[in-house]
Amino acid sequence: MFLSACVKMCENFQDVRKIEVVKDSQRVSERLIEILVSAAESVIAEKNAFTVGLSGGSMVDFLCSGFLRREAKVDLTKWKFFFCDERIVPVHHSESTFGTYKRKLLTFLPIDEKQFIPVDTSMTPSNAAIDYEEKLRKNFNDRIPVFDVLLLGMGPDGHTCSLFPGHPLLEERERIVAPIEDSPKEPPCRVTFTFPLLNAAKLCVFALAGDSKSDMVARILQNQEDFPAGRVCPLNGTVLWLLDQRAASQLEVTLET
């Protein structure tokens, strides 16, 4: 029942969906860190650990920029990082999400590489998905792991993670991590979180900036068209769309003051 409910579109978006519009991409990165640090302080005080799911694309640049601009130091020792999706390529490959975080984020932040739980990309997509699901269950000790925060992006076609429009994985109800070998975006072989896992999170944050995002943002948030990113709707949490003014240019919303 739980898994089935997770893949349905939200019937009451106003209960879980929030939209925040800021001036520009620089402010998106700063605000993203503010949100993360605030959530971490609250969670760590309660359970002494903070779990974050990372995405590829522009997310790593938002994080790097935001942390670099933050004057106050952040204690990251109790943060643990996972990957919402991963390309089945070697870590040194330019398309590797974990590899990108190693090259960019780990070079200046006081984070131990052991705080990252990567996908084993030496395996086939199917075996890598099974292995990663086992790693998640081991770290969370729950049937459905509940992430404190998932950091998500959105492609121009409305995809998020490696969940693409029209793909059968949009209806996946049993697996929380699934393989994909026919991605319409290169590379074709990947591993991805599915909606039952995404929608179990406490907080999902879409961080988006630029004119190229504005059309799809409006189609999902204003027209309520059915695209994968729009199906992110935590059952017991919140989804925040953090947008710069250009990404929100086709929405009827108020800019942050």
Side-chain angles (χ1 to χ4, degrees):
M1 182 67 178
F2 177 85
L3 295 182
S4 179
C6 276
V7 298
K8 294 179 180 178
M9 289 189 67
C10 280
E11 295 180 356
N12 297 304
F13 279 125
Q14 66 271 23
D15 295 335
V16 299
R17 178 185 282 169
K18 296 181 179 180
I19 302 171
E20 183 174 341
V21 181
V22 297
K23 181 179 179 181
D24 52 27
S25 61
Q26 176 180 317
R27 182 58 186 147
V28 169
S29 64
E30 293 170 347
R31 183 71 184 116
L32 184 62
I33 301 305
E34 293 170 4
I35 292 166
L36 278 172
V37 171
S38 176
E41 290 174 348
S42 175
V43 170
I44 291 171
E46 178 183 342
K47 66 176 187 179
N48 207 38
F50 182 58
T51 55
V52 182
L54 301 171
S55 296
S58 59
M59 185 60 68
V60 65
D61 294 321
F62 283 137
L63 291 173
C64 288
S65 176
F67 276 118
L68 281 170
R69 293 179 180 279
R70 186 176 177 85
E71 294 181 3
K73 291 184 179 180
V74 180
D75 182 2
L76 300 169
T77 57
K78 296 178 181 178
W79 294 35
K80 185 170 284 190
F81 301 93
F82 300 80
F83 292 89
C84 298
D85 70 329
E86 180 59 279
R87 293 81 177 260
I88 302 300
V89 295
V91 175
H92 63 266
H93 194 284
S94 62
E95 292 284 351
S96 168
T97 300
F98 177 44
T100 301
Y101 277 87
K102 282 186 67 174
R103 291 190 299 272
K104 293 187 175 182
L105 207 63
L106 280 172
T107 57
F108 71 92
L109 281 182
I111 304 176
D112 191 317
E113 189 172 325
K114 293 180 181 179
Q115 290 174 248
F116 287 82
I117 311 300
V119 174
D120 187 344
T121 58
S122 69
M123 299 180 173
T124 64
S126 180
N127 288 338
I130 293 170
D131 177 71
Y132 206 57
E133 183 167 325
E134 291 175 352
K135 289 177 179 176
L136 290 179
R137 296 192 192 282
K138 181 179 178 180
N139 277 273
F140 285 84
N141 296 315
D142 293 316
R143 178 168 174 259
I144 304 292
V146 178
F147 276 89
D148 295 313
V149 179
L150 294 178
L151 301 179
L152 304 174
M154 181 190 71
D157 60 353
H159 84 266
T160 190
C161 301
S162 286
L163 298 169
F164 294 91
H167 196 279
L169 282 182
L170 298 184
E171 309 306 326
E172 177 60 49
R173 290 166 169 76
E174 300 300 326
R175 294 173 294 184
I176 60 173
V177 182
I180 176 171
E181 299 187 45
D182 57 352
S183 166
K185 181 180 179 182
E186 292 291 332
C189 295
R190 301 162 177 242
V191 164
T192 184
F193 285 6
T194 60
F195 286 116
L197 182 54
L198 295 176
N199 288 334
K202 295 177 183 176
L203 174 63
C204 297
V205 181
F206 284 95
L208 306 172
D211 295 323
S212 65
K213 304 292 184 180
S214 63
D215 179 67
M216 186 55 66
V217 163
R219 292 178 70 179
I220 291 174
L221 299 184
Q222 198 152 276
N223 301 345
Q224 296 191 26
E225 295 182 43
D226 183 14
F227 289 96
R231 295 193 184 193
V232 176
C233 178
L235 294 181
N236 297 295
T238 301
V239 54
L240 171 65
W241 288 71
L242 178 60
L243 312 170
D244 80 340
Q245 200 168 5
R246 291 162 61 193
S249 61
Q250 297 186 44
L251 295 179
E252 297 175 4
V253 292
T254 303
L255 179 65
E256 170 199 64
T257 57

